[in-house]
Amino acid sequence: MKAAVWYGQNNIRVEDITEPVPGPGQVKIKINACGICGSDLHEFRQGPFIIPVKPHPLTGQAGGPVVLGHEFSAEVVQPGSNVTGFNPGDRVTVNALITCNECHYCKKGAYNMCVKLGSTGFAADGGFAEYAVVNDYALFHLPDSVSDDMGSFIEPLAVSVRAVKRSRMKIGDSVAIIGAGPIGLLVMQVCLVAGASQVFVVEPIKARRDLAKKLGAAAVFNPFKSNPGKKIAELTNGLRTEIAFDCVGNQPAFNTALSTTGRRGTICIVGLSMTPVEVPFIRLWGHEKEIVFSCGYENEFTAALALMADKRIDIQEMISERIQLEDIVEKGIEPLIGDAEKYIKIVVYP
Ligand SMILES: [Zn+2]
Ligand SMILES: [Zn+2]
């Protein structure tokens, strides 16, 4: 079968590899659509990052070669032995977490804290291929109203639902979103569904600001052309917001999150910083601000599916391109790195 295989930095090759065979408790699926995520770009440029370096305790994966891709919709081809509840032809999406299901954290449902945590598309072959084999516990049926494209957004939507839960946003709160990439735009929509009074979006790229506005942002700001903290203060009688989501993960984004939140505000860090970020204690202490972190998801797939199924979340205009697997590097990964302002999400059809 055809697959996009990661061998190392700047080295992803589309080639023919052996079709995987499901073991007990596993299911072979045919991939219908798989989104390219920021973490795939990280692996391409600077990896291995989430790809394990030492043999993974659950999968044995160590470095490459590995098939990336963890945001996908698929169709069941062949359930392995001991699999119940999934039959050939079933449309599914995949929770990317690979967990031991035995440790203290797994037993209480905190799957993203599993002591042996891995992820499909990093610690095991993922969705940039014609077929994949995944654990049956990771599969979720797609309702008819969720298309293959929408199914490929359930994983990032689960990330976004978790972020809003971690922020403890309450109905009526005002919110700032720093960064309107795919995650920022989904977090914004989840906040609106969850009853945010108004959501402000800070984003340098115009096309993304325009889409944020269309999807319900109360106001959008270019951080290079204005001071979002001051602007939001003007719009909120000086109160600023209760919650800011940093969906970028770097020093300027954190500084913006700090300045857009008011007293006793909460900053929820969703984007991932590779370098340390300075935190000015004095500005958080005096205003009793909190910083919380949100990492992936623990069990938010059911909620994400429900929000997608009845169209409370709109992803149609977030898809900038649809490409074939053989073009993944030239028409997917490279443009997303080099021409970021032109794209939000690129979806690959194996
Ligand atoms: Zn991702
Ligand atoms: Zn565990």
Side-chain angles (χ1 to χ4, degrees), residues 273-293:
S273 177
M274 306 303 249
T275 49
V277 168
E278 268 184 42
V279 178
F281 275 16
I282 188 71
R283 287 179 62 199
L284 285 120
W285 176 79
H287 286 173
E288 292 190 343
K289 288 192 188 182
E290 282 181 67
I291 303 175
V292 299
F293 293 85

Side-chain angles (χ1 to χ4, degrees), residues 260-281:
T260 52
T261 42
R263 296 168 192 235
R264 291 197 178 156
T266 298
I267 297 166
C268 182
I269 310 288
V270 192
L272 188 60
S273 177
M274 306 303 249
T275 49
V277 168
E278 268 184 42
V279 178
F281 275 16

